[in-house]
Every structure is written in structure tokens, then in C-alpha cells.
Amino acid sequence: MDNFLRLGVNIDHVATIRNARGGDHPNPVRAAKMAEKFGADVITAHLREDRRHISDLDIERLIEGINVPLNLEMAATDEMLDIALRHKPHAACIVPEKREEQTTEGGLDVAGGGNHLKPYVDRLSDSGIRVSMFIEPDLAQLDAAQKLGAPVVELHVGAYCDSRQVTRTRELEKIEKAVLHAYDLGLECHAGHGLTYDTVGPVAAMGTIAELNIGHFLIGEAIFGGLESAMMRMRAAMDNARSKASA
Ligand code: PXP
């Protein structure tokens, strides 16, 4: 299918629950394998500097244990670069990271001085890893990401997902413009952060988005009805929106 929309399942918060008690339960690699069985096209995991959820060992086991591509979310630090180059995941998504934040609170500021990111993009790309930059849906950020040579951008759609109806429409328009601009620039476009059954449709309907990365909501829903049912419902919402848009 030409404009197939991939579902990347982010398993960070399985590790959050595991880490609440130490030990090995629930195991994020087991969750990743189940997600794969239920149709995940990609597994996404963020190895944070403070290791608050995913651990180094999780990354090692994911590389060995899953058959779909691994998308490693990472800050642009030498430590993370070494880890990525050692494990060679299919993709690396460069994200901004602050220790004090609860989650990734915004995109990378590539336009406002992202030149220090260039060596990371180059080293990862040279080793065959597909690099994406997690940025706000902002045209200047897209231009800057393209100038740095990243083939992929992931749009941070948190402002849209978290906003109320009136501002939601405005935020969605920004995403639409950014998606079109990414297409014009020849960038592969992904989106993620805060997506739910309610918010995924309008984003999935944008036909040139290739991948959505969804974590917190899916893992949360899995508590109530299981991972399979949560993923099926999300997949259906994505597919319905996309097929309606292309009809
Ligand atoms: N994409 C990126 C780059 C992220 O940093 C995150 C959060 O870790 C996600 C997608 C998934 O966001 P959420 O957990 O809100 O679905």
C-alpha cells in the first residue's frame, strides 16, 4: 500500500511500571514482542540520560529480541551516540531532553542554533541509522532539519493533543502546514506525542505522514483491556481516518 501509515509502539512506560518495584516485571521486551505480534510496525524506546524507564539492557534485548525495526529515541550526547553506534538500531530519533521534565516537552530547536546536532546526524547516518529530528510543527524548524541532512522529521503534536477545541483547530492547521512543507522538502514525516483514540484521526488523515509513534495512551489503555485490544482500536482509528481522507 502506497501511503501505508506505520504504527510505532513506544514501550517506555512498561519500563516505568517495572522500575517502580525494581525487578523484571512487567518486562518491556515482552511487551515489544506482543506489540509486534499485534501488528506494531516499529518499536520505539527512549533511553533517557537518567534511565528513568528504558535501561541499557532493555536496548540490548530489544535489538536481539524483536523482528520489526527499533526506533531509538535519544538526546544528542556523546554517551547516547556511542550506544546507538554500538547497537545500530534501524532508526534514531534525536529528541531534546531535560532532567526535570516529566516527558519530552517540546521539539528540538534546530532553527535556533542546531549546528551542534550536525555531527550526530552525520555519524548516525554514516553508520546506516535512519535519523529523525523531533521538532515542533514549525516551518523554520523543518528547513533547519533538512539543512542538517536528516532524512526524517517527527512532528511533536503534543500542543494539538493537549489543547481544547478552539486552539486544537489552530494547532492542527500548524501540523497540516508542516506536513506539506516536509513533503516539499523531501523529508519523511512522522508524528507523535500525546496521541489518543480521540486525537489520532485528524493526524492519521494527513496522507504524507508515514509513521505515528504512540506510547503512554496505548500502554495505559492496555491496563484496562489488554494491549491487543488497545492496538486494534488505535490501528482502526488510524486506518479509518486515512481511508476516508483518500476516498
Ligand atoms: N515520539 C517521541 C519523539 C517522543 O519523545 C514520545 C514520548 O516519549 C512519543 C513519540 C510518544 O508519546 P506518547 O507517549 O505521549 O504517546
Side-chain angles (χ1 to χ4, degrees), residues 25-45:
H25 183 79
N27 186 300
V29 182
R30 181 176 166 205
K33 286 183 180 171
M34 289 184 82
E36 183 180 329
K37 186 166 131 202
F38 303 142
D41 303 293
V42 172
I43 296 296
T44 294

Side-chain angles (χ1 to χ4, degrees), residues 59-132:
I59 297 297
E60 227 175 283
R61 289 181 174 164
L62 283 167
I63 290 282
E64 282 163 16
I66 61 172
N67 295 307
V68 290
L70 176 67
N71 172 35
L72 174 68
E73 291 177 3
M74 53 173 270
T77 64
D78 291 348
E79 183 199 17
M80 290 301 149
L81 180 64
D82 283 349
I83 292 170
L85 294 179
R86 185 154 15 100
H87 292 299
K88 295 206 174 33
H90 168 79
C93 179
I94 304 183
V95 300
E97 206 173 291
K98 292 190 220 112
R99 262 182 189 263
E100 65 277 15
E101 69 191 355
Q102 273 188 329
T103 178
T104 315
E105 281 167 1
L108 284 167
D109 187 10
V110 194
N115 282 347
H116 70 284
L117 298 169
K118 177 83 179 141
Y120 294 93
V121 175
D122 288 349
R123 300 261 326 264
L124 291 164
S125 300
D126 288 349
S127 79
I129 299 169
R130 194 153 168 84
V131 181
S132 75

Side-chain angles (χ1 to χ4, degrees), residues 81-214:
L81 180 64
D82 283 349
I83 292 170
L85 294 179
R86 185 154 15 100
H87 292 299
K88 295 206 174 33
H90 168 79
C93 179
I94 304 183
V95 300
E97 206 173 291
K98 292 190 220 112
R99 262 182 189 263
E100 65 277 15
E101 69 191 355
Q102 273 188 329
T103 178
T104 315
E105 281 167 1
L108 284 167
D109 187 10
V110 194
N115 282 347
H116 70 284
L117 298 169
K118 177 83 179 141
Y120 294 93
V121 175
D122 288 349
R123 300 261 326 264
L124 291 164
S125 300
D126 288 349
S127 79
I129 299 169
R130 194 153 168 84
V131 181
S132 75
M133 315 281 272
F134 191 43
I135 55 173
E136 294 295 319
D138 174 283
L139 307 194
Q141 298 295 349
L142 284 154
D143 291 338
Q146 193 226 24
K147 277 202 190 104
L148 285 191
V152 184
V153 287
E154 178 162 333
L155 302 178
H156 191 307
V157 295
Y160 152 71
C161 292
D162 296 343
S163 60
R164 291 175 190 276
Q165 207 49 51
V166 183
T167 38
R168 189 172 272 193
T169 308
R170 212 169 50 225
E171 293 300 332
L172 199 58
E173 282 167 7
K174 282 192 207 162
I175 298 169
E176 261 159 354
K177 280 193 190 142
V179 170
L180 291 174
H181 195 56
Y183 182 79
D184 288 343
L185 292 173
L187 294 167
E188 182 176 316
C189 190
H190 301 175
H193 208 96
L195 290 166
T196 65
Y197 300 143
D198 290 337
T199 54
V200 78
V203 179
M206 298 177 199
T208 55
I209 296 186
E211 182 175 307
L212 299 180
N213 284 300
I214 311 180

